[in-house]
Amino acid sequence: MKKSRSSSKPNRKSKSKNRRGGRRSRFWKLFLRVSAVCLVLLACWMVYLDAVVTSRFEGRRFEVPSRVYARPLELYDGAGVSSGALERELALSGYRKGDGVKPGSYRRNGGHFIISTRGFRFPDGDEPRRRLSLNIYGDRVQDFSVTAGDEAAIVRLEPARIGGIYPAHKEDRILVQLKEVPALLPATLMAVEDRKFYDHFGIAPLSIGRAMLANMRAGQIVQGGSTLTQQLVKNFFLTRDQTLLRKGNEALMSILLELHYEKDDILETYLNEVYLGQAGTRSINGFGLASQFYFGESLKDLDVHQIALLVGMVKGPSYYNPRRHPERATKRRNLVISEMEDAGLVDPSKAARARGLPLGVSAKPSYSENRYPAYIDLVRRHLARDYKEEDLRSEGLRIFTTLNPAIQYAAEYAVTDTLPRLARGETAKALEATLVVTAKDTGEVLALVGGKDPQFAGFNRALDANRPIGSLIKPFTYLTALEQPDRYTLMTPVLDKSFTLEFDDGRRWQPKNYDGEERGEVPLHRALSRSYNLPAVRVGLDVGVPAVRETLRAFGVVSPISEYPSMLLGSVAMSPVTVAQIYQGLATSGFNTPLRTIREVTDAGGEALSRYSLEVDQVADPAAVHLLQYAMQETMQEGTGRSAYYTVPKELTLAGKTGTTDEGRDSWFAGFSGDLLAVAWVGRDDNGPTALTGATGALPVWSRFMAQVPQHGFSPVVPDGVSYHWVNPEKQALTDEYCDNARLLPFISGSEPTQRVSCSGTLERKIRGWFEGLFQ
């Protein structure tokens, strides 16, 4: 019995050991299986992450917005610019008032300027840096000279950047190459953010450990252990969520990034990707753009204290924003300067000097969101003819426009200053206005105001408000007639008398003059300059509504045009830009010149992609247009536009036409000088009445603009086939200069009167005229 008991004990122990061994064996088998599955999953996940890293990073295809520039200001002896306009344009281009020695700065003493240009790569070549000296007297540049740099008779300033066409994610950047970056910048960045950048393999375990320990002691996140590679991965590939999964992905992707790419590639991408601030809805990414945004200077021109500030902002661009929190920014910058000193990047004396300097940040960003939204809207529509929207948003194109900042400023001021004076009460609140300004001879759009708030980026009335143009149509009716010189001249009598038209369906139409008066027979030039309705309709019906419609088409109208006689009084609707287009042909003696907002487009490297040259197409007889221009000058001197000279200098010769629709719902004025054409519209978005006429609404806006801008008067060249004669319009005959009712009128050769009337006292009148001429 004892033997049997003693023999059973080892068996139980053996079974217990076997069970434990079996459990351990099963555990390790399960562990190995789970580990194998995890390794497979990790491998698959690594393959996926590797694909993500390489597909996004390969070639580093940043979505870089297209940059839109104003026209460059050219400075030379005799250039037309006022002191105020030059200073505004320098500020617009990010120049800072200072000693005028450092590139991107200027000094002003009254009308004397010292300007140090930055240089710029234009489509036709590089404009080098120069230091300029000039004086401005009477809105003209005098004593122009280059005091440093290559000599030149004409110098183009860097064009102001007026906006951009941004990617959907609203990131903005200026791409830089590592070899172009001042060596101090990456050295400082590594000294502050990642001293072992060139030694680690994407992550730095010791740094992570130190950061975790510091954070545990503080009970909050006070220190980061991320390498520059990890920061790049976080910005480039991941969200900003603070989760273990994201941190794990960040570490794995950092390792993969380091396996595939060189350190310099990673560093260069970081310099272009890092987030450094916000401009409205637009993020400022990369040191290249940050340098422009905060200092108005190129990255290569930054000093020690400026580099230190930008590097310091990497830790928290909003928290250390130098414009909002200068004290924080200064403290952070000085800490970075001390790090630079400790790392041997700057000597102690230079570091001490840098710490004592002000932040040096420009008062305003060198450029912000689109400055001129209505103008940029037109630019985009013109670009859409040749470029895809996705290319405009991502390829970093450089778009050189025709916008003139000085003229844009004057146009905006004319609208915002004049509009409140035109009405009172609810009408004043409801009034809106637009102004379109072009170069008379080239059709370049120099300025565009889309509403009474020029900064509003919503409804663009200059392009999209299609309104009846009223009497603005009359010049085209009379031009159609004057192209038939055997039937119509400026002296031809036209009947200012009411009549009634009855249509086949029984409807009746009875046009009337605005003032309700009738004057009988009046010469054609007076009917136009006084804007009488009845003669205009009679002439239009005589030459034919289809003929007038074809004239409008030839001058650039592409929208439908009514065939009803009411079209002759301007029932046809057009936008202010379209009106500018058709009046451009009148200003250029019958040459249809398509409006242009773009001169050239280049790629990001400066290679030309498109050039938009001047295009002209003769659509009317220059001789007939010359006669019409005479009548439009008479409009300004004697007719409905004469009140412009309450504001505009009397010596500035102008030509123009008023336009009014029923109950003053639309007030128009279109006119030109020797240099500029401008179209103004005043009205209400709800099409409500205003009680304004073309002369009391749009003309004051137009006149206020014209009075601000240096320009030449309109002095048309007399074309071949036109001759001037002294005539007596009442008697339809040639006469002598000093006779009563004598008027000097142009005629297409062969259409002048054949009869002549003389007058008594001709010699006496000539002598009197000679004496009067001595004192004029």
Side-chain angles (χ1 to χ4, degrees):
M1 293 295 292
K2 290 182 179 178
K3 285 183 180 180
S4 61
R5 288 194 194 101
S6 62
S7 63
S8 65
K9 288 181 180 179
N11 288 336
R12 288 196 296 270
K13 289 180 180 179
S14 175
K15 289 179 181 179
S16 177
K17 288 179 180 180
N18 289 337
R19 284 195 296 271
R20 286 198 296 270
R23 283 197 296 270
R24 282 197 296 268
S25 175
R26 285 194 299 273
F27 170 78
W28 284 110
K29 286 180 181 179
L30 179 62
F31 175 77
L32 290 173
R33 288 173 182 171
V34 171
S35 298
V37 170
C38 289
L39 287 173
V40 170
L41 292 174
L42 179 61
C44 293
W45 186 243
M46 289 286 284
V47 169
Y48 166 75
L49 291 180
D50 187 71
V52 170
V53 168
T54 54
S55 63
R56 175 75 192 278
F57 197 84
E58 193 67 45
R60 292 172 300 287
R61 295 283 294 169
F62 288 105
E63 288 187 329
V64 181
S66 294
R67 308 190 186 285
V68 184
Y69 296 93
R71 67 91 187 92
L73 177 61
E74 294 185 343
L75 296 176
Y76 53 90
D77 271 322
V81 63
S82 67
S83 296
L86 176 56
E87 189 160 33
R88 281 193 299 272
E89 190 144 349
L90 290 170
L92 192 64
S93 297
Y95 279 72
R96 291 184 295 168
K97 200 168 185 177
D99 55 11
V101 174
K102 189 173 182 180
S105 68
Y106 72 96
R107 184 172 78 244
R108 177 185 178 184
N109 183 11
H112 180 64
F113 286 81
I114 299 292
I115 305 170
S116 285
T117 69
R118 301 191 192 97
F120 189 78
R121 185 175 186 183
F122 287 96
D124 59 355
D126 290 340
E127 187 82 18
R129 294 180 179 179
R130 294 184 176 94
R131 188 174 307 136
L132 312 176
S133 174
L134 58 95
N135 292 302
I136 296 181
Y137 298 109
D139 295 339
R140 295 282 169 185
V141 174
Q142 299 183 18
D143 307 320
F144 175 82
S145 64
V146 179
T147 60
D150 298 340
E151 283 292 330
I154 301 175
V155 173
R156 289 178 295 182
L157 294 184
E158 173 188 0
R161 182 180 165 192
I162 59 173
I165 301 174
Y166 301 103
H169 49 62
K170 294 292 185 180
E171 288 184 5
D172 196 3
R173 55 174 54 80
I174 295 176
L175 294 182
V176 297
Q177 293 182 320
L178 188 59
K179 62 183 179 182
E180 299 171 346
V181 173
L184 186 59
L185 174 59
T188 302
L189 185 64
M190 287 183 283
V192 174
E193 295 289 331
D194 189 356
R195 294 199 175 201
K196 300 293 184 179
F197 174 73
Y198 279 100
D199 299 324
H200 61 63
F201 53 90
I203 59 174
L206 291 178
S207 297
I208 294 173
R210 284 196 301 269
M212 289 179 63
L213 184 60
N215 294 338
M216 289 174 62
R217 288 174 177 171
Q220 59 181 330
I221 297 176
V222 296
Q223 183 176 328
S226 297
T227 64
L228 289 179
T229 310
Q230 287 176 274
Q231 292 180 36
L232 176 61
V233 165
K234 179 174 64 178
N235 289 336
F236 213 56
F237 302 104
L238 303 173
T239 67
R240 298 181 180 273
D241 297 337
Q242 294 290 336
T243 64
L244 289 176
L245 178 60
R246 192 199 64 76
K247 294 295 289 184
N249 284 335
E250 178 186 299
L252 293 175
M253 295 174 85
S254 299
I255 295 170
L256 290 169
L257 197 62
E258 296 263 0
L259 286 173
H260 283 293
Y261 302 103
E262 298 292 332
K263 289 283 189 179
D264 283 352
D265 290 338
I266 295 170
L267 181 58
E268 183 178 284
T269 305
Y270 182 93
L271 294 174
N272 286 302
E273 175 63 22
V274 62
Y275 172 72
L276 286 169
Q278 196 75 22
T281 60
R282 196 166 48 99
S283 66
I284 305 302
N285 291 76
F287 285 94
L289 180 60
S291 175
Q292 292 279 1
F293 185 74
Y294 291 110
F295 303 113
E297 296 185 22
S298 173
L299 189 60
K300 63 179 181 294
D301 296 324
L302 296 189
D303 288 333
V304 171
H305 67 292
Q306 295 169 316
I307 289 175
L309 176 60
L310 293 184
V311 171
M313 290 177 65
V314 170
K315 185 176 181 181
S318 298
Y319 188 79
Y320 295 112
N321 186 322
R323 292 192 178 98
R324 293 184 178 180
H325 310 294
E327 292 183 2
R328 291 180 194 167
T330 301
K331 186 176 180 180
R332 175 66 179 165
R333 181 203 66 177
N334 290 346
L335 178 61
V336 172
I337 293 172
S338 297
E339 293 280 352
M340 297 165 77
E341 182 182 358
D342 293 343
L345 301 177
V346 293
D347 59 60
S349 61
K350 197 170 186 178
R353 178 181 173 277
R355 281 190 289 266
L357 290 174
L359 290 174
V361 175
S362 56
K364 294 181 179 180
S366 58
Y367 43 78
S368 55
E369 297 282 359
N370 292 332
R371 298 176 186 272
Y372 311 114
Y375 188 91
I376 297 295
D377 186 13
L378 182 57
V379 169
R380 293 183 72 151
R381 298 190 198 194
H382 285 177
L383 284 169
R385 303 166 183 168
D386 300 311
Y387 293 92
K388 296 178 180 178
E389 181 70 14
E390 55 265 33
D391 292 337
L392 295 173
R393 289 179 176 271
S394 63
E395 295 300 319
L397 305 183
R398 301 196 308 161
I399 301 158
F400 295 89
T401 74
T402 61
L403 181 129
N404 184 314
I407 291 179
Q408 178 71 29
Y409 175 86
E412 291 182 0
Y413 178 80
V415 169
T416 57
D417 183 66
T418 308
L419 202 60
R421 307 169 189 264
L422 299 180
R424 295 181 180 179
E426 293 302 314
T427 301
K429 294 178 182 179
L431 278 184
E432 278 290 351
T434 67
L435 191 61
V436 182
V437 185
T438 69
K440 182 183 77 68
D441 294 326
T442 65
E444 292 187 336
V445 181
L446 307 179
L448 189 77
V449 181
K452 64 183 176 183
D453 180 4
Q455 300 303 310
F456 179 63
F459 182 54
N460 189 347
R461 295 164 189 83
L463 276 74
D464 298 323
N466 288 293
R467 307 294 292 256
I469 64 172
S471 295
L472 290 190
I473 203 170
K474 290 175 182 174
F476 299 93
T477 300
Y478 286 115
L479 176 61
T480 306
L482 291 169
E483 287 190 303
Q484 305 175 38
D486 57 329
R487 300 183 61 209
Y488 285 97
T489 71
L490 290 177
M491 194 174 66
T492 298
V494 290
L495 191 58
D496 182 19
K497 187 175 180 180
S498 61
F499 63 96
T500 301
L501 283 179
E502 186 168 338
F503 300 99
D504 293 340
D505 59 3
R507 288 183 298 117
R508 297 163 61 89
W509 183 57
Q510 186 174 15
K512 294 181 180 180
N513 285 329
Y514 182 80
D515 60 5
E517 300 291 328
E518 298 178 16
R519 298 161 186 84
E521 283 192 348
V522 294
L524 185 149
H525 68 86
R526 186 182 303 163
L528 175 56
S529 65
R530 274 66 169 182
S531 198
Y532 299 150
N533 288 341
L534 294 171
V537 175
R538 287 180 178 273
V539 171
L541 291 174
D542 184 47
V543 298
V545 171
V548 177
R549 188 174 67 239
E550 288 308 307
T551 299
L552 289 169
R553 291 247 181 263
F555 276 77
V557 178
V558 295
S559 57
I561 301 174
S562 168
E563 296 185 7
Y564 290 105
S566 59
M567 180 270 282
L568 299 170
L569 291 181
S571 62
V572 58
M574 298 184 197
S575 70
V577 165
T578 302
V579 172
Q581 174 65 75
I582 62 175
Y583 267 75
Q584 197 77 34
L586 299 182
T588 55
S589 300
F591 290 88
N592 185 1
T593 307
L595 299 188
R596 294 185 299 146
T597 56
I598 307 164
R599 290 180 175 176
E600 291 183 274
V601 178
T602 75
D603 63 16
E607 294 298 320
L609 297 177
S610 305
R611 287 188 173 91
Y612 296 84
S613 303
L614 175 65
E615 297 179 9
V616 294
D617 180 25
Q618 185 172 343
V619 296
D621 179 7
V625 177
H626 184 79
L627 270 58
L628 186 72
Q629 290 171 341
Y630 174 95
M632 293 176 70
Q633 287 178 277
E634 182 184 326
T635 298
M636 304 305 296
Q637 297 291 336
E638 308 171 26
T640 55
R642 62 187 180 277
S643 61
Y645 286 103
Y646 297 155
T647 307
V648 179
K650 287 184 170 52
E651 60 273 13
L652 186 65
T653 308
L654 301 167
K657 185 68 190 73
T658 53
T660 310
T661 61
D662 291 344
E663 298 185 80
R665 297 177 191 277
D666 300 280
S667 169
W668 291 91
F669 191 85
F672 44 90
S673 66
D675 301 317
L676 304 175
L677 179 146
V679 174
W681 170 86
V682 174
R684 295 171 54 155
D685 288 340
D686 62 3
N687 199 33
T690 68
L692 296 173
T693 66
T696 60
L699 181 57
V701 174
W702 187 92
S703 304
R704 179 63 61 88
F705 164 74
M706 283 293 197
Q708 297 178 76
V709 181
Q711 56 190 305
H712 300 91
F714 178 60
S715 181
V717 176
V718 180
D720 293 337
V722 172
S723 56
Y724 276 75
H725 299 275
W726 287 98
V727 296
N728 184 327
E730 291 183 2
K731 297 183 178 181
Q732 296 289 295
L734 299 172
T735 190
D736 296 317
E737 178 179 356
Y738 299 103
C739 290
D740 289 334
N741 298 321
R743 188 177 191 99
L744 188 63
L745 287 179
F747 291 85
I748 295 176
S749 297
S751 67
E752 65 272 10
T754 55
Q755 291 184 326
R756 173 177 287 276
V757 294
S758 187
C759 56
S760 60
T762 300
L763 180 60
E764 177 186 343
R765 291 174 186 275
K766 286 184 178 180
I767 294 172
R768 188 175 69 222
W770 181 76
F771 274 107
E772 289 174 351
L774 291 177
F775 300 100
Q776 289 181 351

